[in-house]
Amino acid sequence: MYTFSSKLKTFSFILMAVGILGIGYGFLNAPKDIHEVESILSASSHGGHGEAQHHEEKPAHEEAHATANHAGASEADAHAEHEEHLTHVLHQLQNKPWAALYVASIFFLLITMGTLVFYAIQQVAVAGWSPVLFRVMQGITSFLPVASVIFFIILVLCGLHFNHLFAWMADGVTDPASANYDKMIAGKSGYLNFGFWIVRAAIFLIGWNLYRHYSRKNCLAQDDSNDNSFYKKNFNISAGFLVFFIVSESIMSWDWIMSFDPHWFSTLFGWYVFASFFVSGITLIAMVTVYLKSRGFLEYINTSHIHDLAKFMFGISIFWTYLWFSQFMLIWYADIPEEITYFVTRINLYNLPFFGAVVMNFVFPLLILINTDFKRITWVIVMAGIVILAGHYIDFFNMIMPGTVGDQWFIGVPEISSVLFFLGLFIFTVFTALTKAPLLAKRNPYIEESRHFHY
C-alpha cells in the first residue's frame, strides 16, 4: 500500500495556500471602474499622457475649423467613444483573474479526462501491457469529481454575470432593440443560451464522473472476485463511455472554449482540443508512475512500460501538430475574413505564446522522444513531461485568453497562482486516493502478462 508522505502533503498545502492568496490578489487588484482604467492606461503611455489629454485638446482644434455647435457635437461623440473604449478595457481587465482561473480549471479538468479516456481505451482494447498502470490511472482520475464541481461553479458564475468572459452572454446581445445587438450571435441563440448550455455541461460532467466511479468500483471488486464478471462489466461500460465521450467532447469544446469567439468556428476544433488534453493525460500517467517508482513503489513496472507511455507521448504530440497545422493552414490560405481573424488576433497579440506552444508541443518532443533509448530514461521522461504539460497549458491559454482579455494579457500573479492552486489540490487529491487501494489490480485477467511485459 502506498503511503502519502508528509513532505509531499505539506508541499501540496503550500501550493494551495500560495495559489489562493495569489488568486485573491488578482481579484482585489482588478480595476473597479473606468476611472481606474484611465489611470492605468495613462500610466502605461509615454510621459503619463493618455487618451484623456488627446480628447481635451480636440475641441480647441475643431473650434478653429468648424462652428461651436459642430465642435460641441464632436466633443460629445469623442467623449462617448472614449468612455465606450474604457468600458471595454475595464471588462477585459476585470476578466483577467477570472480567465486565469478558468484556464487553470479547465486545463486540470481535461487532462484528468485525458487519463480517464486512455484508461477506457485500454479496457476496450483488452490491452495486455497496461493493467499494472490501472491504479495509477484511477488515482489520477480521482481528481475528476473535485475538478468538475469547481468548474461547474465557475460556469454558473459566468451565467450569473459575475464576469464578462462569454460575449454571447452579454445583456441585449440577442435583442434587436438593444445597442448591444449582435445578429450573428442572435442567430445562434437557440443553441447558445445559458439554460441549454449549463444543462449540457451538467450532463457531460455527470456522465464522465459516473463512468469514473463505476469503472473504479468494478476494478476494485475484481480483486476479490472468483471470476471475470467485473472485468467484463468494465469492458462493456468502457465501450459505452467512449461513444458518449466522443460526442460530448466535441460539444464540450464548442461550449466551453470555442464560444469565447462566437463569430468563429472550426470543424477540426473538437479533435484539436482532444489531442491537447489527451497527450497531457498520458504525460501525467508517466510522471506519476516515475515518481512512485522512484519512491520504491510499483516494483513490477519496468522500462518497457515507461517506453510505451513515452511512445504515446511522442505519437500524440505529432497528432496534435498535424491538427494544429491542418486547422491553421486551411484557414490562413483561404483568407476568409470571418475565419482568419481568429489567427490574426493570436499572431499579432499573442505571437510568443502562439508559436511558443508549437515549439514546446512539437519541436521539443520530436527532438527528445524520437530516440528509442531516451524513452527509457527517467530524467528525460520527466523533462519532456514538464515541457509538454507547460506547453499544453499555453495552448489552452491561447485558445481562451484572446476572446476574454484581448490585448490585456500577461502571465502574471493570477495566472501562476491559479495553476499553483490547482496543482496543489491535484497532488493532494490524487496521492490521497492512491493510499485507498493496493497499487496492483491483482485479479485482472491480464495482470501476469502486464507484470512480465518486456521487449
Side-chain angles (χ1 to χ4, degrees):
M1 292 286 287
Y2 169 71
T3 303
F4 194 178
S5 72
S6 58
K7 289 183 179 179
L8 185 59
K9 186 180 292 185
T10 302
F11 179 63
S12 68
F13 286 141
I14 292 172
L15 288 177
M16 285 188 279
V18 172
I20 289 173
L21 290 174
I23 292 169
Y25 170 83
F27 280 103
L28 291 174
N29 204 43
K32 306 298 185 295
D33 52 46
I34 61 174
H35 302 296
E36 288 187 38
V37 173
E38 195 158 28
S39 300
I40 292 171
L41 294 179
S42 296
S44 64
S45 62
H46 294 292
H49 298 294
E51 293 178 62
Q53 181 177 349
H54 172 73
H55 289 304
E56 286 170 10
E57 295 170 353
K58 189 172 183 181
H61 172 74
E62 290 175 343
E63 191 174 337
H65 297 85
T67 63
N69 287 339
H70 178 69
S74 298
E75 181 181 4
D77 291 342
H79 181 71
E81 184 180 341
H82 181 55
E83 285 207 345
E84 183 179 351
H85 170 68
L86 291 177
T87 302
H88 178 66
V89 175
L90 172 65
H91 289 169
Q92 289 181 324
L93 292 175
Q94 288 178 336
N95 276 347
K96 195 170 181 296
W98 280 105
L101 189 63
Y102 190 97
V103 172
S105 179
I106 195 171
F107 178 68
F108 277 89
L109 168 69
L110 291 183
I111 61 177
T112 306
M113 275 301 300
T115 301
L116 185 65
V117 173
F118 188 73
Y119 171 77
I121 291 172
Q122 299 307 304
Q123 295 278 358
V124 173
V126 195
W129 72 276
S130 57
V132 293
L133 296 166
F134 281 179
R135 293 294 158 78
V136 174
M137 299 182 200
Q138 290 166 3
I140 293 173
T141 58
S142 66
F143 187 65
L144 185 61
V146 178
S148 298
V149 170
I150 294 174
F151 185 70
F152 189 77
I153 291 172
I154 293 174
L155 294 183
V156 171
L157 293 178
C158 290
L160 295 177
H161 301 290
F162 277 74
N163 53 60
H164 308 278
L165 292 181
F166 292 92
W168 58 268
M169 290 185 182
D171 290 331
V173 75
T174 59
D175 180 7
S178 172
N180 292 331
Y181 178 66
D182 187 306
K183 184 178 180 180
M184 186 172 291
I185 295 177
K188 299 180 179 182
S189 61
Y191 180 82
L192 280 183
N193 62 82
F194 177 69
F196 190 24
W197 181 77
I198 202 68
V199 167
R200 291 196 300 271
I203 291 171
F204 300 157
L205 293 172
I206 291 172
W208 299 344
N209 278 279
L210 283 175
Y211 170 71
R212 188 213 70 86
H213 172 75
Y214 285 107
S215 64
R216 174 177 167 79
K217 182 180 178 181
N218 288 335
C219 188
L220 293 175
Q222 183 63 39
D223 281 359
D224 301 317
S225 176
N226 296 322
D227 55 27
N228 295 329
S229 58
F230 291 103
Y231 174 82
K232 292 175 181 176
K233 285 182 181 178
N234 256 1
F235 177 90
N236 292 331
I237 66 172
S238 296
F241 163 74
L242 288 175
V243 174
F244 173 75
F245 171 77
I246 288 297
V247 176
S248 60
E249 188 278 333
S250 291
I251 300 173
M252 169 278 295
S253 67
W254 309 335
D255 286 0
W256 301 346
I257 303 177
M258 195 163 68
S259 71
F260 284 119
D261 301 273
H263 289 189
W264 178 83
F265 64 90
S266 166
T267 53
L268 271 178
F269 196 74
W271 285 106
Y272 175 78
V273 173
F274 167 71
S276 188
F277 71 75
F278 189 50
V279 69
S280 300
I282 296 170
T283 302
L284 266 184
I285 298 170
M287 299 278 280
V288 174
T289 300
V290 166
Y291 170 78
L292 289 173
K293 190 153 183 69
S294 72
R295 306 301 296 177
F297 301 97
L298 306 181
E299 66 278 359
Y300 35 81
I301 287 179
N302 55 58
T303 56
S304 293
H305 296 104
I306 303 299
H307 180 270
D308 270 18
L309 288 171
K311 283 197 295 186
F312 279 107
M313 290 165 61
F314 172 77
I316 307 301
S317 292
I318 302 302
F319 178 58
W320 174 87
T321 309
Y322 160 72
L323 293 171
W324 183 93
F325 180 73
S326 297
Q327 183 172 256
F328 173 74
M329 180 197 67
L330 292 173
I331 291 176
W332 188 259
Y333 281 99
D335 203 19
I336 300 172
E338 60 266 28
E339 293 182 358
I340 194 63
T341 183
Y342 182 87
F343 287 107
V344 169
T345 301
R346 281 153 180 80
I347 291 172
N348 289 343
L349 303 180
Y350 290 74
N351 191 275
L352 181 59
F354 183 72
F355 291 108
V358 178
V359 174
M360 298 173 75
N361 298 331
F362 169 59
V363 178
F364 188 85
L366 177 68
L367 296 177
I368 298 299
L369 295 178
I370 196 171
N371 187 297
T372 298
D373 294 332
F374 282 2
K375 294 187 182 77
R376 296 176 182 268
I377 302 174
T378 299
W379 70 266
V380 172
I381 300 299
V382 173
M383 177 180 64
I386 290 172
V387 173
I388 289 172
L389 289 174
H392 285 286
Y393 168 81
I394 297 297
D395 187 29
F396 275 83
F397 185 90
N398 291 333
M399 287 189 272
I400 293 169
M401 285 294 182
T404 56
V405 303
D407 60 352
Q408 303 299 320
W409 72 276
F410 180 75
I411 298 181
V413 172
E415 289 77 13
I416 295 172
S417 299
S418 297
V419 171
L420 292 180
F421 170 74
F422 279 99
L423 177 59
L425 186 60
F426 175 84
I427 292 172
F428 178 76
T429 305
V430 168
F431 287 93
T432 299
L434 288 171
T435 65
K436 304 298 184 183
L439 293 180
L440 184 67
K442 59 184 179 181
R443 272 286 291 121
N444 184 286
Y446 294 94
I447 197 66
E448 288 306 313
E449 178 182 342
S450 185
R451 290 182 63 171
H452 298 93
F453 177 64
H454 287 280
Y455 65 91

